[in-house]
């Protein structure tokens, strides 16, 4: 599996990637645990040397069986009794084979107060058969803010703003690498260059499924690594 997300979810992570079959892109796979919300703990996902999977790792993941749930048809139950194994790394050029064909991010037109095209009603989401996409954008603006400050909530968060296929999106960022990088900086906007984004449709919450930027893969960072 080519790892395309290792994003924050409750007390664990949401891992997702694409199968590699005869060196070609295969199906999306989201390894999940047997817990209620299916988040993956560190104990369940780490390599034998104790390191955590990184985006663009090519890895072998022990799976038991398919566990599709509503529109999250990519879910597979992981086997917690075995280590995951890193086999290789993907570069920027190779990653382009995994970018989705052009098209909208599922269904557009519904927004939160600070978002734009960032959620889908459960009724519409239940008609979907996928919940993961990899798209390439020319630029990405990271907005660091504290949206709940007026209500006594001091927690800051990241919002990613980008244009894709003539539509604008403002989506929450759950990539822990970029959270650490930008939460250490003052509130404000930060512009990134050409990037690939893993977009995940989260589990239903209060009548909606939310679009999330689960991973940011900057071309400049990838090519200098």
């Amino acid at each position: 599996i080519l790892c395309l997300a290792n994003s924050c979810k409750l007390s664990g992570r949401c891992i997702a990637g694409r199968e590699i079959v005869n060196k070609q892109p295969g199906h999306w796979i989201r390894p999940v645990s047997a817990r209620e919300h299916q988040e993956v703990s560190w104990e369940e996902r780490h390599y034998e040397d104790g390191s955590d999977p990184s985006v663009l790792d090519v890895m072998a993941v022990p799976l038991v069986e398919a566990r599709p749930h509503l529109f999250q048809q990519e879910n597979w139950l992981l086997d917690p009794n075995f280590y995951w194994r890193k086999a290789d790394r993907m570069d920027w050029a190779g990653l382009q084979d995994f970018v989705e064909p052009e098209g909208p991010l599922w269904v557009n037109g519904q927004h939160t107060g600070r978002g734009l095209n960032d959620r889908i009603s459960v009724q519409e989401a239940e008609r979907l058969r996928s919940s993961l996409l990899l798209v390439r954008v020319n630029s990405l603006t990271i907005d660091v803010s504290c949206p709940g400050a007026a209500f006594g909530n001091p927690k800051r968060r990241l919002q990613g703003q980008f244009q894709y296929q003539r539509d604008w999106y403002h989506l929450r960022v759950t990539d822990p690498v970029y959270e650490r990088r930008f939460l250490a900086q003052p509130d404000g906007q930060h512009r990134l260059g050409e990037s690939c984004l893993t977009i995940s449709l989260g589990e239903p919450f209060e009548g909606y499924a939310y679009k999330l930027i689960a991973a940011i893969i900057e071309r400049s960072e990838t090519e200098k690594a």
Side-chain angles (χ1 to χ4, degrees):
I1 298 173
L2 170 62
C3 182
L4 293 172
N6 184 349
S7 64
C8 300
K9 182 179 181 180
L10 301 177
S11 59
R13 294 290 176 85
C14 175
I15 310 291
R18 292 278 297 275
E19 283 185 293
I20 299 177
V21 182
N22 296 324
K23 299 183 179 181
Q24 297 298 315
H27 296 295
W28 278 96
I29 298 287
R30 181 190 284 111
V32 299
S33 71
R35 286 182 292 280
E36 179 185 1
H37 296 289
Q38 302 181 312
E39 70 275 14
V40 179
S41 69
W42 179 81
E43 290 80 5
E44 292 167 330
R45 71 179 184 264
H46 69 78
Y47 299 138
E48 190 169 3
D49 65 1
S51 60
D52 207 32
S54 297
V55 172
L56 296 185
D57 280 359
V58 177
M59 58 190 186
V61 179
L63 302 172
V64 177
E65 62 183 10
R67 285 285 179 89
H69 178 64
L70 299 176
F71 50 85
Q72 292 188 341
Q73 295 292 301
E74 308 91 346
N75 295 4
W76 278 73
L77 180 65
L78 62 82
D79 189 335
N81 298 310
F82 297 92
Y83 290 117
W84 295 16
R85 179 175 59 84
K86 180 179 175 180
D88 204 351
R89 284 281 294 176
M90 184 68 69
D91 59 17
W92 176 264
L95 178 65
Q96 304 316 299
D97 291 335
F98 294 80
V99 173
E100 307 290 343
E102 296 180 356
L105 303 187
W106 302 291
V107 180
N108 289 334
Q110 298 187 48
H111 329 288
T112 60
R114 295 182 60 83
L116 183 65
N117 289 318
D118 62 336
R119 68 182 183 179
I120 303 172
S121 71
V122 168
Q123 291 80 6
E124 289 179 298
E126 287 177 344
R127 294 195 289 268
L128 301 175
R129 308 306 296 171
S130 72
S131 62
L132 291 160
L133 295 169
L134 180 71
V135 301
R136 185 174 65 246
V137 298
N138 293 326
S139 63
L140 173 70
T141 298
I142 300 293
D143 182 27
V144 184
S145 66
C146 185
F151 307 99
N153 183 351
K155 295 194 71 173
R156 300 161 74 226
R157 59 186 273 183
L158 272 57
Q159 197 93 352
Q161 304 177 8
F162 61 93
Q163 186 177 29
Y164 180 68
Q165 299 303 302
R166 299 183 180 180
D167 290 310
W168 279 94
Y169 297 88
H170 298 179
L171 311 182
R172 184 167 183 177
V173 176
T174 58
D175 182 324
V177 173
Y178 281 80
E179 283 190 321
R180 286 193 297 270
R181 174 176 164 184
F182 286 107
L183 288 178
Q185 301 186 35
D187 289 358
Q189 294 190 331
H190 310 266
R191 187 176 175 85
L192 307 181
E194 184 180 3
S195 302
C196 285
L197 309 176
T198 300
I199 311 298
S200 177
L201 198 57
E203 293 181 53
F205 178 73
E206 296 185 350
Y208 293 93
Y210 291 84
K211 303 173 190 177
L212 306 168
I213 300 177
I216 299 170
I217 308 170
E218 286 183 84
R219 180 174 185 171
S220 60
E221 294 295 315
T222 302
E223 291 187 332
K224 77 181 181 183

